[in-house]
Amino acid sequence: MRPDILNSYFAPITGLPGIGPKLAKSFNRLLGREDGARVLDLLLHLPASTIDRRARPTLAEVVPDTVVTLEIHVDRHAPTPPGSRAPYRVYAHDATGDIVLAFFKADRSWMERLLPVGETRWISGTVTLYDGMLQMTHPDRVVDAAGLAKLPPIEPVYPLVEGLGHGHVRRAVEAALAHTGDLPEWQGGEPTYGFHAALAKVHQPHDSQDAAPEGPAWRRLAYDELLAGQLALALVRARTTRQVGRPSLGDGRLTRAILAALPFSLTGSQNEALAAIRADLASNDRMLRLLQGDVGSGKTVVALLAAGTVIEAGRQAALMAPTEILARQHMKTIAPLAQAAGLTVALLTGREKGRARDALLAALAAGEVDLVIGTHALFQEGVRFDDLALAIVDEQHRFGVHQRLALASKGEAVDVLVMTATPIPRTLVLTYFGDMDSSELREKPAGRKPIDTRAIPSDRIDDVVARLGVALAEGRRAYWICPLVEESETSDLAAAEARFAELAMHFGDKVGLVHGKMKGAGKDAAMAAFAAGQTQLLVATTVVEVGVDVPEASIIVIEHAERFGLAQLHQLRGRVGRGDAASTCLLLYRRPLGEIARQRLEALRQSEDGFFLAEEDLRLRGEGDVLGTRQSGFPGFRLARLDVHGDLLTRAREEAADVVRNDSDLVGERGAALRVLLHIFERDVAVKLLSAG
Ligand code: ADP
Ligand code: MG
């Protein structure tokens, strides 16, 4: 399937010189490919910044605290005296002055080889002024004339993981560049650099612009990524609408029964969304619709009623959730309503195993199950439907086009409804969903009370705990969300466990703990105990973020709120304010608070409107997030960054539309090049779709 020209790009990195099994493991971690990183992954791992080593002043000209490369003559060594903690010093000079090089824990014979007395060496690093003397502590580079010739004038700095140094990454990238070659041009315009040349520019910059996200090389690559995304969407869209849908005409029998079983009536926007969905289902075109709704806006009921409509027509529906907790919760909400309406629901996650699973699969294939709720497990092979009419994907940003298609391919001309937990700003809707139809639940169910949101510095945590004690004594229920540590799940976990232990000292067995590393049953038990009120305070990592619904919970404390994105905070806050009680959200932050973080917390205090907050989030990220690239990237994209490359999106979208208009099967020469592009950015599902016809 994959064009041969890409073989060197998709070869495992272990084939590169110098990468043995141990390094490979670290690289896999660095590149987020535990199953084995490929050369391409390495090439797409772009530098976070650069060090400019081009400044070559004399010692008299040196500006302290800047990075310089100096030509020096080595005068003498002053090794660390035994028992002292002083550094090993090397004295050197040039025609204009003197400098001291300082090394801690240095080995004498190694030092004498590195900086032989009487010789000339070039050193690169940051010079400081110490006791009136120029000093360089641990030069980054010490080279002789031959080494100098090879010293990159601008050195890329990469994000790293434990076990890897910059040297490892640079050498591996160098090998990867040598190992791969030019590819046919897929861009329609005339880019300054070809794909491979652009990669080489960014990884081996000669100018600081070369490796900057704003520079032409990186922009080319970002455009490629955006184009691949837009093209995949356009292709999917072209196919899905070209395939004639199969109208599902319900008689209203089940949906009426479901409505009758609900303890409330639908909001105006729920009714509107439902009408739009029903019209899609009844029409001859395939449905591809986005249901956007703020937390608690009542998407689940809309989903169930949509399912009811196709089931009335004698067909089946599937509802896919991103996590097991959420799938089970959907099941819990839906089961009683389904029972009241007389439709059969089943749950399928990774945890359904053995005989029960086989029986379930058989029932599904025989059409005895009307609605199946589950996780990724739903689109595995072996899951067959008698007649799947509607795939509902509770997306929450976590599934890509890929999974949506995989689920939709389980039936014939399946209608697709994608639900998003947090409203998505318009530009991002385009990025992820192309020109999908969209329904928005802007109206909240009646009777919701506003959530009292406050930002509190973390040094007042004792007050918070004391007040929490009062609330728990009154029988209230609360979440305590633990900090998100970017680097690793294990430290998230340690933080949550430590907080749990501490809160348990105050509140004993009223406290529960749930986190992502817990086994399914343990997680369920913790959630169930909290839902039943056996525990009143649930310490959690962000696993509760997505959709967890315990209406009795009326307090949420979010620790290190400054580390979360706005959308995520809003999503977390949405865990409360679901019941009759007035709710409180306490955002604990650590001082000093950065400007962007301050604005984020302020926005949250001011508004509960997810549509507004989504736009704010985008605006704040656009202004450059201090947290760096991770936060400012388009989620799900590797190179393209919203703040820097947002302007390329419309162009990519137009180019993609153009391609699909002129060569929707990608058969021409340019079409072939574009297929290569789709593979590079793993949008090849779209290619599969092409061959499926
Ligand atoms: P979300 O959009 O976040 O998935 P849910 O579907 O979980 O929201 O709904 C949140 C809560 O609101 C649920 O307890 C649900 O039963 C309730 N709900 C949904 N629609 C209405 C309505 N029209 N009136 C009152 N409550 C509703
Ligand atoms: Mg939901």
Side-chain angles (χ1 to χ4, degrees):
M1 267 310 298
R2 186 195 301 139
D4 286 344
I5 195 168
L6 283 176
N7 289 351
S8 57
Y9 283 86
F10 281 85
I13 53 162
T14 44
L16 295 174
I19 300 190
K22 192 154 163 249
L23 265 189
K25 251 184 137 178
S26 301
F27 271 113
N28 291 350
R29 206 147 32 83
L30 175 72
L31 302 170
R33 290 250 171 218
E34 304 294 342
D35 52 338
R38 293 109 13 124
V39 169
L40 177 64
D41 299 313
L42 197 54
L43 291 173
L44 296 181
H45 183 66
L46 301 189
S49 61
T50 50
I51 300 172
D52 190 338
R53 302 204 181 280
R54 287 176 301 174
R56 300 278 299 271
T58 62
L59 287 174
E61 293 162 345
V62 162
V63 179
D65 301 315
T66 59
V67 174
V68 293
T69 303
L70 303 169
E71 176 178 349
I72 48 123
H73 306 277
V74 182
D75 295 321
R76 67 187 172 91
H77 282 226
T80 307
S84 158
R85 283 204 253 153
Y88 187 119
R89 292 194 175 86
V90 176
Y91 293 84
H93 76 276
D94 72 0
T96 67
D98 299 303
I99 186 165
V100 180
L101 313 181
F103 298 82
F104 289 90
K105 299 197 173 140
D107 171 67
R108 178 161 190 174
S109 61
W110 187 77
M111 288 302 303
E112 283 170 352
R113 259 178 288 131
L114 187 69
L115 289 157
V117 171
E119 304 261 322
T120 299
R121 286 292 180 268
W122 286 263
I123 59 171
S124 187
T126 308
V127 175
T128 53
L129 213 48
Y130 187 78
D131 267 352
M133 273 290 284
L134 290 180
Q135 173 164 318
M136 192 184 285
T137 308
H138 286 276
D140 303 333
R141 295 278 178 280
V142 178
V143 290
D144 56 13
L148 180 68
K150 281 194 280 175
L151 189 71
I154 311 248
E155 201 169 284
V157 177
Y158 293 97
L160 295 174
V161 294
E162 215 180 293
L164 284 182
H166 283 117
H168 291 123
V169 179
R170 271 197 300 273
R171 280 190 298 277
V173 167
E174 195 180 322
L177 283 169
H179 193 73
T180 48
D182 251 347
L183 295 173
E185 184 56 65
W186 48 72
Q187 288 194 17
E190 280 184 13
T192 322
Y193 307 105
F195 178 73
H196 190 266
L199 285 172
K201 271 276 169 224
V202 177
H203 284 295
Q204 299 173 334
H206 288 275
D207 192 294
S208 48
Q209 270 301 293
D210 288 348
E214 301 80 11
W218 194 315
R219 275 177 76 81
R220 189 235 136 94
L221 299 171
Y223 184 76
D224 286 340
E225 184 171 39
L226 293 173
L227 179 62
Q230 291 303 306
L231 183 58
L233 286 171
L235 289 170
V236 169
R237 182 70 176 161
R239 304 285 136 169
T240 39
T241 48
R242 218 188 293 160
Q243 269 177 341
V244 178
R246 297 176 50 205
S248 297
L249 292 171
D251 55 13
R253 162 178 59 89
L254 291 173
T255 45
R256 267 196 305 275
I258 295 167
L259 284 171
L262 286 174
F264 48 75
S265 48
L266 297 186
T267 63
S269 27
Q270 281 172 322
N271 274 320
E272 272 168 46
L274 202 58
I277 293 167
R278 282 207 181 113
D280 286 350
L281 292 173
S283 93
N284 254 322
D285 292 329
R286 260 179 95 169
M287 174 169 82
L288 196 52
R289 181 173 286 276
L290 192 60
L291 178 60
Q292 293 210 65
D294 211 345
V295 252
S297 60
K299 293 182 290 290
T300 317
V301 184
V302 175
L304 176 62
L305 289 165
T309 304
V310 303
I311 296 165
E312 283 166 10
R315 310 180 64 196
Q316 291 167 294
L319 168 56
M320 179 164 73
T323 62
E324 180 152 342
I325 290 190
L326 196 51
R328 284 180 191 278
Q329 200 176 274
H330 278 317
M331 183 68 185
K332 208 180 92 195
T333 322
I334 286 175
L337 296 167
Q339 196 179 18
L343 55 89
T344 322
V345 197
L347 182 71
L348 180 64
T349 71
R351 254 204 282 158
E352 273 64 46
K353 290 210 175 83
R355 292 247 290 280
R357 184 185 155 91
D358 294 343
L360 170 62
L361 291 183
L364 203 57
E368 288 153 16
V369 170
D370 300 316
L371 170 62
V372 63
I373 299 173
T375 54
H376 300 73
L378 282 180
F379 55 75
Q380 280 160 4
E381 258 168 72
V383 179
R384 279 191 203 85
F385 291 82
D386 175 44
D387 182 12
L388 179 65
L390 173 64
I392 304 165
V393 182
D394 200 350
E395 169 111 22
Q396 337 236 0
H397 302 276
R398 283 166 205 226
F399 295 118
V401 185
H402 184 85
Q403 286 95 333
R404 258 182 267 149
L405 282 175
L407 186 57
S409 68
K410 296 272 176 198
E412 214 178 296
V414 176
D415 286 315
V416 177
L417 180 67
V418 177
M419 303 198 288
T420 65
T422 321
I424 304 172
R426 287 238 178 278
T427 42
L428 288 187
V429 170
L430 289 183
T431 320
Y432 294 112
F433 304 100
D435 45 1
M436 262 171 114
D437 295 315
S438 168
S439 293
E440 297 174 357
L441 299 183
R442 282 184 176 259
E443 200 179 331
K444 298 229 168 117
R448 293 277 150 84
K449 299 206 175 70
I451 300 171
D452 181 14
T453 302
R454 296 174 193 205
I456 300 174
S458 55
D459 41 42
R460 283 175 43 206
I461 195 167
D462 290 344
D463 295 350
V464 172
V465 172
R467 270 190 284 165
L468 200 56
V470 175
L472 296 181
E474 287 169 359
R476 294 176 67 180
R477 263 176 259 175
Y479 294 102
W480 187 294
I481 309 299
C482 282
L484 180 84
V485 182
E486 276 242 358
E487 296 317 317
S488 85
E489 245 174 75
T490 36
S491 33
D492 276 5
L493 188 55
E497 278 172 343
R499 183 58 72 207
F500 167 73
E502 199 182 312
L503 290 168
M505 279 187 345
H506 288 278
F507 307 125
D509 54 11
K510 283 185 189 155
V511 192
L513 173 67
V514 64
H515 57 70
K517 279 276 156 89
M518 277 163 83
K519 290 257 183 307
K523 238 188 256 177
D524 283 358
M527 289 308 305
F530 184 63
Q534 285 149 7
T535 56
Q536 285 175 266
L537 176 60
L538 186 63
V539 178
T541 56
T542 46
V543 284
V544 299
E545 174 193 343
V546 234
V548 170
D549 191 16
V550 178
E552 294 83 3
S554 61
I555 300 172
I556 185 163
V557 179
I558 304 174
E559 228 181 303
H560 272 301
E562 77 280 2
R563 293 189 187 165
F564 293 92
L566 187 48
Q568 203 178 13
L569 287 170
H570 177 58
Q571 182 63 240
L572 283 167
R573 178 173 60 178
R575 297 312 104 213
V576 299
R578 307 185 140 230
D580 308 325
S583 295
T584 308
C585 170
L586 301 178
L587 304 166
L588 286 182
Y589 64 87
R590 177 160 299 179
R591 291 195 250 223
L593 197 55
E595 178 53 24
I596 302 285
R598 191 194 63 76
Q599 288 191 42
R600 232 191 259 135
L601 299 189
E602 183 55 29
L604 213 60
R605 267 185 1 90
Q606 279 177 5
S607 175
E608 275 184 60
D609 177 351
F611 289 89
F612 165 78
L613 290 173
E615 298 292 344
E616 269 303 284
D617 192 23
L618 194 63
R619 186 181 69 78
L620 290 176
R621 291 201 214 187
E623 285 175 11
D625 194 314
V626 280
L627 287 177
T629 54
R630 275 283 269 284
Q631 289 277 320
S632 52
F634 289 102
F637 284 71
R638 303 167 87 161
L639 320 174
R641 292 171 40 173
L642 197 50
D643 48 348
V644 192
H645 308 121
D647 64 310
L648 298 176
L649 186 61
T650 320
R651 226 180 78 207
R653 188 173 146 71
E654 281 162 11
E655 184 164 358
D658 231 41
V659 167
V660 173
R661 221 173 296 122
N662 296 318
D663 178 14
S664 66
D665 294 317
L666 303 186
V667 286
E669 193 182 326
R670 170 131 189 263
L674 285 161
R675 282 171 187 248
V676 171
L677 172 70
L678 290 173
H679 278 279
I680 286 186
F681 289 103
E682 297 176 88
R683 301 300 200 279
D684 41 307
V685 227
V687 180
K688 289 202 188 93
L689 204 66
L690 290 177
S691 51

